[in-house]
Structures are given as structure tokens and as C-alpha cells.
Amino acid sequence: MPKKAKPAGAGKEEGPAPCKQLKMEAAGGPWTLNFSSPSGLFESLIAPIKTETFFKEFWEQKPLLIQREDPALATYYQSLFKLSDLRSLCSRGMDYGRDVNVCRCVNGKKKVLNKDGKVHFLQLRKDFDQKRATIQFHQPQRFKDELWRIQEKLECYFGSLVGSNVYITPAGSQGLPPHYDDVEVFILQLEGEKHWRLYPPTRPLAREYSVEAEDRIGRPAHEFTLKPGGLLYFPRGTIHQADTPPGLAHSTHVTISTYQNNSWGDFLLDTISGLVFDTAKEDMEFRAGIPRQLLLVETTAAATRRLCGFLRKLANRLEGTNALLSADMKKDFVMNRLPPYYVGDGAELSTPGGQLPRLDSVVRLQFKDHVVLTVGPDQSRSDETQEKMVYVYHSLKNRREIHMMGNEETECHGLRFPLSHVDALKQIWNSSAISVKDLKLPTDEEKESLVLSLWTECLIQVV
């Protein structure tokens, strides 16, 4: 089926000049998602827009609207989540606030209509029909397998957490006031139609969520109706609001979001403390005391110059190194992301299979997209020693049912090895397959012990 892809706002326009419309023919027959790889999944999700074009022209820059006229696609999208799914989900024990919000936009403000305690479907449907309230279902990938499958691949692709919310809005109603988010947003229209208005950001690439008053945002830059099978993308900070047109069936869409707190600034904050600590161990200047009373007075020009000199030293130390930077962001991502998608009981993620690795074995890494290497202090020893260890964190044992729920306690899964093992681990990570005896470790016992530990965690297999 032919598909049309265009920058958001190629329909009805108010304010700025219309965006140029792109028309492309889809290749390869009927549309389908490609789950063969993370990149394949993303390419098929934004088809017919090419990935290179997307990141060059749209990512973090401007909205993208893809309208698709494909009945098979619309049917598939509807299978991801629909209004009728709420009955069975409520029977599983959903809570107001945690799992479900009921709200409506009244005079430009969000009115929350939540009850206390458990969500009962009949009450939920009553609020939906009589109060024209929007139902917001949090993180449906915890219960809907196909969303788990999609979001797990997207987490591999972006290297960042990917959450989702479903919004079900009755005809002639709006759930949320104009606002912007701190995440990159991909919206899939599942049921009915949704009328969207997008406005230029007041804070591009925002780091926070914020409601914006109608009298401040002016006229929309883009206005259009998203139809079943359609996809809308917009960058964090994009001001938006949406309603279900009167006289039509209710609207259901899923918002898939990523890249929260995933900026260069976040990465710099994450890595700089470890870099300063390591440098201070070797450079006496970093251990020298600050001037007397510096904390009691305004920072002097001399102190600022001294800080700039320290920063230059840190930059010189960092430049050209291939060391694994100690990064809590890596650990946080792996601890909180989805486990690999599987059908069945997932035994392959928890029970080692295949041949036991030996010195003469050839091994290869499996579930590479779900494993990270990082270096950090040995948590088992006192602060005085601060010896470095190399850590292997993985998400194979993560609990899908608490994904992106924030206040749930997560557990870190993985292994730790002496820093002397880092080169051998890099060999395994960077090779399609490698002989155990070729690992860069001084003894055969260490080589066998390393691969056996990884095999026990289901991270490698003998080939």
C-alpha cells in the first residue's frame, strides 16, 4: 500500500508557513515491523522515512508525522492496546495513581478524577462515558507482550530506557492541557483519531515536564489529525495538546518515550567525579587545600583560573584514553531496563545451556545488547583502599512487571572481576568468537575461571 510521510503540520496550518510535504512509496509490499534486530525494528517503525534522514533532519530538531493508509497495519496497531483490554487488566489488581490515572482538561487545567484504592472496570467505564474522562494507563509493556517486544528492541537501539503510556479519550474531550515533556516522543495511533496541535518549544530539549498556559503559547505551528496506523514523533520540549474530535469513536494512542536524562550534560556529571578522584590519587595539585576562607567569600579570579587549569588537566588526561569510564548511568540503565523478550518460561535467560566452556573451547558473547562493562571502586572493601574492579552488568534477570515504575526497588545483576581482566573481557566483547586460550590473562586457570563465570550467568556460549 502507498504510504505518505510528511513533517508534522502538512495538513491544516496556522501561523508559520506549511512544512514541505514528502511523498514516498513504501517498498516491499505490506507494512510490518521487523524484529530481526534493534536497527531493523526502528527502521520499520519509521518507514518509509530512512533512519539516516530521520536523525539528520528530525531527531531533537522538529516533529515528524507519518500517515499510513494500511488496513493491516491499523489492525496490528489496535492489537497493541485497546479499550476492551481494560476489563481483563483491571481484574489483575490495578491501582489508581500507580497504574491508572483518570483525568480531563477543564479550562486549560488538568482535573484528576482518580478514586482511592483499586481500579474497578465498571467505575472506570462510567467515568469514561459520563464524565468524558481520559484514561491513562501507565507502562502497558508490563502486561502487553507485543509492547514488551517493541520496547525491548528500542532500548537496545537507543541504549536508553524506553517507557510508554496509553491514552484513551472519548469523543469531544481532551485529557491534558498544553504541556511539554523531558523525553523524545513517538506516538502510535491505535484506535479512532486524535486531533493534535503542536507549538514551538519555549525550552528546546527540555529537562523537565511543564504545563504551559494557553495565552502564552500562541497559535499552533502544526495542526493535524492522526489516524489509525499513523506515527507522530516530536522532540522533548515540544509543546503539545490533543483532543478526540466530536462525533467520532474514542481515540486510543500509545506514547513511547525515551532519552530522559540522557544528555551530554548528564554523562559529564556521571563521569567527571570518577575522573577527578583518579587524578587526585596521582596529582598532588588536586590534593592541595583550597585557600583559607574561600567558602566564606565570593570566588576570586585567582580561584577561577586555578579551576580552569584543573579542568584542562582533566581534559588532557581523558583525551586519547580508551579506558572504561566509571559510569553510574550504565549501571542504572541496565538495572532498570526490560529483560530480553522471550516466548515461554525464559529458561534460556536463567539456566546455562550447551557445552561447558574449557580452555580449548571457542566462545562467543550472547545477549550483547543487554550487557555493559564498566569500571568502578571495589564495593566490598573499605573506602581507604578504593581498588578498581571491572563490572559486568546485565538485564537478563530483570523483572518486566516493575519496568519504569520508578518507586519499585530494583536489583543489580552481574559479575565483578579484578581490573587485570578488563582486556580479556574486551576481547570477548569485541570478537564474534574467540578461543579461550587466546584470552589476555597470565594463567590458564584464570582464563577458564573467567569464561565459566560468564557462562554461569548465561552471557556466553560455546560455539
Side-chain angles (χ1 to χ4, degrees):
M1 295 288 291
K3 306 169 189 175
K4 297 178 181 178
K6 48 193 172 184
K12 180 181 178 182
E13 289 286 341
E14 297 180 13
C19 297
K20 183 179 179 181
Q21 180 169 324
L22 305 175
K23 294 186 178 181
M24 301 182 184
E25 293 296 320
W31 180 94
T32 182
L33 282 184
N34 173 12
F35 288 97
S36 63
S37 67
S39 59
L41 183 278
F42 186 73
E43 288 169 3
S44 62
L45 185 69
I46 63 169
I49 296 293
K50 300 299 183 184
T51 302
E52 182 181 355
T53 301
F54 175 79
F55 285 103
K56 182 178 179 181
E57 298 183 12
F58 298 98
W59 177 254
E60 295 190 328
Q61 299 172 66
K62 62 183 179 181
L64 169 67
L65 170 65
I66 301 177
Q67 300 277 33
R68 302 184 179 105
E69 299 173 5
D70 187 335
L73 170 60
T75 300
Y76 171 77
Y77 268 25
Q78 187 177 15
S79 73
L80 299 178
F81 201 105
K82 49 188 180 294
L83 176 60
S84 58
D85 289 334
L86 290 173
R87 183 184 293 274
S88 61
L89 287 170
C90 288
S91 69
R92 300 173 66 165
M94 302 294 113
D95 293 310
Y96 281 105
R98 179 184 186 274
D99 302 296
V100 175
N101 272 337
V102 180
C103 57
R104 186 174 181 186
C105 180
V106 179
N107 297 323
K109 296 183 178 180
K110 178 181 176 180
K111 183 177 182 181
V112 178
L113 305 173
N114 289 351
K115 306 296 188 292
D116 293 327
K118 298 294 180 183
V119 179
H120 298 284
F121 176 74
L122 292 180
Q123 180 63 55
L124 197 63
R125 190 63 201 248
K126 181 179 179 181
D127 290 337
F128 182 79
D129 292 332
Q130 297 181 9
K131 297 183 179 179
R132 320 306 295 160
T134 287
I135 300 168
Q136 179 186 16
F137 194 94
H138 299 151
Q139 310 304 337
Q141 72 278 4
R142 295 178 291 149
F143 309 102
K144 301 291 286 184
D145 288 353
E146 198 67 5
L147 284 172
W148 170 24
R149 191 182 181 198
I150 291 170
Q151 289 174 234
E152 180 257 323
K153 277 286 189 289
L154 289 177
E155 286 189 334
C156 293
Y157 184 74
F158 285 111
S160 177
L161 294 176
V162 175
S164 68
N165 286 317
V166 164
Y167 297 86
I168 308 175
T169 304
S173 184
Q174 179 170 332
L176 300 175
H179 66 279
Y180 60 78
D181 299 297
D182 58 347
V183 286
E184 300 295 304
V185 171
F186 297 86
I187 290 167
L188 311 182
Q189 186 66 27
L190 310 182
E191 294 183 303
E193 300 179 359
K194 203 69 176 279
H195 168 235
W196 286 87
R197 284 167 286 173
L198 307 182
Y199 306 79
T202 53
R203 184 178 292 274
L205 302 183
R207 292 178 54 82
E208 67 285 322
Y209 166 93
S210 180
V211 173
E212 292 280 37
E214 289 268 11
D215 58 1
R216 289 190 60 219
I217 59 179
R219 302 170 69 186
H222 310 295
E223 187 170 3
F224 52 88
T225 298
L226 192 62
K227 300 180 179 181
L231 178 143
L232 169 64
Y233 159 79
F234 50 81
R236 53 195 188 277
T238 302
I239 302 168
H240 56 280
Q241 60 178 325
D243 60 273
T244 303
L248 298 179
H250 69 270
S251 164
T252 302
H253 76 261
V254 61
T255 296
I256 297 175
S257 57
T258 190
Y259 258 62
Q260 185 178 48
N261 300 330
N262 211 47
S263 68
W264 277 113
D266 296 301
F267 191 70
L268 183 62
L269 287 170
D270 187 45
T271 57
I272 196 70
S273 60
L275 186 62
V276 170
F277 187 88
D278 291 344
T279 305
K281 288 173 65 176
E282 302 173 14
D283 190 330
M284 191 177 69
E285 274 196 273
F286 279 71
R287 302 196 301 272
I290 61 176
R292 288 181 301 102
Q293 300 187 343
L294 181 62
L295 302 181
L296 301 177
V297 298
E298 186 177 348
T299 303
T300 64
T304 300
R305 286 194 299 272
R306 193 78 183 273
L307 284 173
C308 289
F310 286 138
L311 290 173
R312 293 186 187 97
K313 278 196 171 186
L314 291 175
N316 291 335
R317 178 184 177 92
L318 184 61
E319 193 167 26
T321 182
N322 61 353
L324 292 171
L325 294 176
S326 176
D328 287 336
M329 285 176 69
K330 288 183 179 182
K331 182 179 178 180
D332 181 74
F333 170 50
V334 173
M335 281 180 61
N336 291 286
R337 63 178 300 190
L338 284 163
Y341 174 79
Y342 58 81
V343 177
D345 60 6
E348 67 273 21
L349 305 182
S350 56
T351 305
Q355 186 179 349
L356 192 72
R358 302 293 187 187
L359 185 63
D360 58 354
S361 300
V362 175
V363 298
R364 70 180 175 196
L365 188 67
Q366 57 181 0
F367 303 110
K368 185 174 182 179
D369 289 333
H370 285 266
V371 191
V372 298
L373 287 175
T374 187
V375 169
D378 185 351
Q379 303 294 335
S380 68
R381 304 187 65 171
S382 65
D383 290 340
E384 286 76 18
T385 60
Q386 287 293 324
E387 288 191 19
K388 291 295 184 69
M389 303 287 287
V390 56
Y391 290 87
V392 178
Y393 297 119
H394 66 81
S395 58
L396 272 59
K397 300 175 184 177
N398 286 9
R399 296 168 56 203
R400 169 195 175 193
E401 61 269 21
I402 63 172
H403 181 245
M404 295 296 291
M405 293 307 291
N407 56 353
E408 299 286 351
E409 195 165 322
T410 56
E411 182 180 355
C412 185
H413 303 287
L415 301 164
R416 63 175 186 166
F417 300 97
L419 193 59
S420 58
H421 285 47
V422 68
D423 288 336
L425 286 164
K426 285 182 179 181
Q427 284 179 279
I428 296 172
W429 254 246
N430 297 328
S431 304
S432 57
I434 188 168
S435 174
V436 176
K437 64 177 180 291
D438 291 336
L439 294 176
K440 295 178 180 179
L441 286 169
T443 68
D444 292 345
E445 289 78 13
E446 286 177 297
K447 296 173 184 180
E448 284 195 329
S449 177
L450 172 61
V451 296
L452 183 59
S453 297
L454 295 171
W455 180 82
T456 302
E457 287 286 299
C458 305
L459 300 180
I460 63 169
Q461 60 182 182
V462 178
V463 296

